[in-house]
Amino acid sequence: MTSFRAAVVQFEPSPDQPAANLATVERLARDAVAGGVRLVVFPEMCLLGYWHLRRHTPERLHELAEPADGPLVSRVLELARELGAGIGVGFLEEADGTLFNAYAVCLPDGQVHVHRKLHAFEHEVIASGSSYTVFDTPWGFRAGVLICWDNNLVENVRITALLGATVLLAPHQTGGTNSRSPHGMKPIPLQVWENRDADPAAVEEAFNGPSGRGWLLRWLPARAHDNGMFVLFSNGVGRDDDELRTGNAMILDPYGRIVAETPAPAEAVVTADLDLDLVPLATGRRWLRGRRPELYALLTQRLGNELDPRTARFTDAPVELPGQ
């Protein structure tokens, strides 16, 4: 068996406190590597905090942003080299005056691979990326990165698999969001989190219910299974401005099976050994070989009802497709 030990992390970042969040990343990365982990996946925007960013002015966002070779990512790269492990972190990137919700995977051989969220909706001045991120790792497999809502659009995961990725890093800040869909996620009252010590059963029930783990299980295993990929799902946990993130950090195998997870509504590191020998004959991999691309031209054609990610995320308008 070709085995590789990876970990996914859930923690509650401090808003606009990159030094404090970096200290948390260092502490948890060291703990994970001490347990034999060689790749540690932290949540989306974990170095800065997430949902509160939508309230900032453009000027403040530019103050908080850093280039991909700035002090924050550079320190994570130093840590990756020191520990001999890969470390993935989310940050607010500025490149040539443009802001991106970005994720840097720092590898022990000195490489840094940066993914820019393809469907950014957090703030009107945070742009969406325009390319996929798939790369070779020092451990003999190809990895890909998709941030949060990128994973909800099935085409993105399929293309990442077609580009050769067998391990997908899927950093999130999700759970407890105010979905426009009548049977989607709904906000969890902040009091549930604030009262967690006195009523731990209530917070566990909420975070593992239909607005947390229950919602994830509607779709996340399918991304792994249908593409024959390991999925490393990391997430925030706890208060995120006026919403609650539900954690539910988990690792799924290429059959969509959960091989490790935590039900704990608290900071946690979830570790699993990935059996890479599962990939070649996984059902999803065989399905990829059975595709008929000549039938799929419609997937690359505009239908005329497309919206930018921010509008699509927040619109209350019903969706009508051509022909309806």
Side-chain angles (χ1 to χ4, degrees), residues 44-45 50-51 99-102 115-123 126-132 145-157 159-160 171 173 299 302 306-314:
E44 174 186 16
M45 206 65 79
Y50 175 70
W51 198 224
L99 299 176
F100 298 96
N101 178 338
H115 178 72
R116 295 169 174 170
K117 190 173 184 179
L118 300 173
H119 305 274
F121 56 80
E122 297 80 15
H123 194 287
I126 297 179
S128 293
S130 59
S131 61
Y132 292 94
V145 183
L146 292 170
I147 300 173
C148 202
W149 211 40
D150 292 353
N151 293 276
N152 293 128
L153 280 75
V154 296
E155 294 89 347
N156 293 328
V157 185
I159 290 172
T160 301
Q173 292 287 348
L299 291 175
R302 288 193 167 271
E306 291 82 8
L307 300 173
D308 66 90
R310 185 172 172 80
T311 304
R313 171 65 176 78
F314 294 113

Side-chain angles (χ1 to χ4, degrees), residues 19-159:
N21 296 323
L22 182 58
T24 299
V25 166
E26 291 199 31
R27 173 174 55 84
L28 296 177
R30 291 184 186 280
D31 289 347
V33 172
V37 168
R38 301 164 75 186
L39 175 63
V40 191
V41 180
F42 286 90
E44 174 186 16
M45 206 65 79
C46 64
L47 294 181
L48 199 59
Y50 175 70
W51 198 224
H52 73 288
L53 297 177
R54 75 194 194 283
R55 303 182 187 275
H56 280 334
T57 64
E59 292 77 16
R60 179 57 175 156
L61 291 178
H62 279 280
E63 290 175 359
L64 292 167
E66 287 192 4
D69 59 356
L72 286 175
V73 175
S74 295
R75 174 56 195 140
V76 176
L77 177 58
E78 290 176 8
L79 184 65
R81 284 171 160 159
E82 175 192 343
L83 299 179
I87 303 173
V89 293
F91 70 109
L92 183 63
E93 180 191 12
E94 181 166 18
D96 297 323
T98 301
L99 299 176
F100 298 96
N101 178 338
Y103 196 83
V105 184
C106 301
L107 298 177
D109 61 3
Q111 296 184 66
V112 179
H113 300 277
V114 176
H115 178 72
R116 295 169 174 170
K117 190 173 184 179
L118 300 173
H119 305 274
F121 56 80
E122 297 80 15
H123 194 287
E124 60 186 6
V125 300
I126 297 179
S128 293
S130 59
S131 61
Y132 292 94
T133 305
V134 175
F135 52 90
D136 293 318
T137 70
W139 308 290
F141 60 83
R142 285 175 67 76
V145 183
L146 292 170
I147 300 173
C148 202
W149 211 40
D150 292 353
N151 293 276
N152 293 128
L153 280 75
V154 296
E155 294 89 347
N156 293 328
V157 185
R158 175 53 55 89
I159 290 172

Side-chain angles (χ1 to χ4, degrees), residues 155 296-307 319-324:
E155 294 89 347
Y296 309 145
L298 186 60
L299 291 175
T300 62
Q301 295 175 8
R302 288 193 167 271
L303 302 180
N305 68 339
E306 291 82 8
L307 300 173
V319 178
E320 293 187 3
L321 297 176
Q324 291 183 323

